[in-house]
Amino acid sequence: MEVVIVPDAKAGGELIAEAMAALLRRKPDALLGVATGSTPLPVYEALARKVRAGEVDASRARVCQLDEYVGLPAGHPESYRATVLREVVEPLGLPEASFMGPDGSAEDLPAACEGYDRALAEAGGVDLQLLGIGTDGHIGFNEPCSSLASRTRIKTLTQQTRVDNARFFDGDLEQVPHHVITQGIGTILDARHLVLLATGEGKAEAVAQTVEGPLSALVPASALQLHRHATVVVDEAAASKLKLADYFRHTYANKPSWQGL
Ligand code: PGA
C-alpha cells in the first residue's frame, strides 16, 4: 500500500480532494464512498472549495455512506445520513437523490443490509472509498475481530468506540447507540480505490499496525494490505510510530509524475 505523509490535516484534505476532483474529471458520475467523523472534514471542505472555484464539476457525482447508527430517530442530526447530507451532499450542491446509504431505522435490518450491498453493486461499485480509522483499528464500524470477508451487516460497537463518539452526543455516552450497520470489510475491499486518512497522535498506533503489522482480525484496517490500490494519508503525528516513515517519504518524493495522488 502507498503511504503519504503530509505536514498536517489540511494538507491531507487538499491532497485527497484533488484525487477526488481528478476522478470526477475522468468520470463525472463517479461513486464516492464517504466517511463520517472528524478526520475527513478537511477533505470535504477542500472539495467544496474546488467546486465553488470551478476547478471541478461535481454536479453528476454520486455519494454513498459507509455506515449508520441503528435506532436513532429519522432525521436525528447525528445520524450518518444527516451528517453526510450536511457535510458532503449540500456543500457540493448535489441533489439528495445522488446519495445512498443503509437504513438504520428499517424494520428488517438484515434485509436492509443485504439491500445496501446489492444497491452498491447495481450502482456499478464504489470508485473511491474514503476511510477514517478508529483508535482500535476499525474501518467503517468493523470492530476488531470482524471477518475480513464480511459484507454489510449489523455490528455492536466496542465501549472504546462509543466513548470516542460520545463527543458527537454532547459528551453523553448513554446517547451513543450500541448497534450500527456497516459496510463489511469485504464490501469495502470491493471499492476500486481505498484512501484512508488518519491525523493526530491518537491514531499513530493503529496506523503503524495497519501499515506495518500483520494482517490481523484484531486490526480490521490491516485488511487494506489485501487491496490492490490502497493509499494511506497520514499527518506527521499519525505517522510517528511508522518504522518505515523515511522510506515512505523518499518513495513519495520520487514518485513518477504520471501516478495520481
Ligand atoms: P474520527 O473517527 O475521524 O472522528 O477520529 C474515525 C473512525 O472512527 O473511523
Side-chain angles (χ1 to χ4, degrees):
M1 85 180 75
E2 179 175 48
V3 179
V4 184
I5 302 174
V6 292
D8 52 32
K10 188 162 184 284
E14 184 59 39
L15 186 73
I16 296 172
E18 185 46 42
M20 288 176 165
L23 169 63
L24 289 169
R25 289 182 201 115
R26 270 196 319 275
K27 184 176 180 183
D29 65 345
L31 180 55
L32 301 175
V34 295
T36 46
S38 311
T39 312
L41 295 176
V43 178
Y44 308 141
E45 283 157 15
L47 186 59
R49 261 198 314 275
K50 287 177 190 297
V51 169
R52 284 195 303 272
E55 291 171 33
V56 59
D57 176 6
S59 60
R60 291 174 59 204
R62 296 171 298 151
V63 173
C64 67
Q65 206 174 322
L66 190 56
D67 43 19
E68 181 59 281
Y69 289 115
V70 166
L72 290 182
H76 189 291
E78 292 309 326
S79 75
Y80 283 175
R81 179 178 182 85
T83 304
V84 172
L85 286 172
R86 187 172 63 237
E87 292 171 353
V88 185
V89 174
E90 285 163 18
L92 292 181
L94 299 175
E96 204 169 322
S98 65
F99 167 66
M100 55 200 279
D103 181 359
S105 58
E107 219 148 88
D108 186 343
L109 288 169
C113 294
E114 258 181 59
Y116 189 49
D117 260 357
R118 217 171 26 248
L120 289 173
E122 282 166 7
V126 177
D127 290 293
L128 185 156
Q129 177 65 56
L130 179 60
L131 298 165
I133 184 169
T135 52
D136 63 359
H138 71 213
I139 46 173
F141 272 136
N142 293 282
E143 299 286 32
C145 292
S146 289
S147 156
L148 299 181
S150 49
R151 310 302 303 179
T152 299
R153 69 211 184 293
I154 305 162
K155 285 292 287 182
T156 304
L157 295 181
T158 61
Q159 185 70 355
Q160 176 69 56
T161 299
R162 293 185 62 245
V163 169
D164 286 348
N165 285 8
R167 68 188 193 281
F168 296 113
F169 293 85
D170 303 320
D172 180 3
L173 185 59
E174 287 305 304
Q175 286 186 48
V176 184
H178 285 270
H179 295 103
V180 293
I181 291 179
T182 181
Q183 284 191 31
I185 296 177
T187 315
I188 292 170
L189 292 176
D190 284 346
R192 292 180 189 89
H193 185 191
L194 298 179
V195 181
L196 186 148
L197 176 62
T199 52
E201 199 167 353
K203 301 293 173 68
E205 186 58 40
V207 166
Q209 291 192 28
T210 295
V211 174
E212 296 173 343
L215 176 64
S216 163
L218 261 186
V219 184
S222 66
L224 265 65
Q225 295 173 21
L226 296 170
H227 198 277
R228 283 182 300 178
H229 192 189
T231 308
V232 175
V233 179
V234 283
D235 68 356
E236 291 287 346
S240 59
K241 294 196 173 163
L242 287 171
K243 294 189 184 73
L244 296 181
D246 283 343
Y247 171 69
F248 296 135
R249 283 193 191 92
H250 174 79
T251 307
Y252 191 65
N254 292 286
K255 189 177 161 106
S257 60
W258 43 263
Q259 263 180 312
L261 213 131

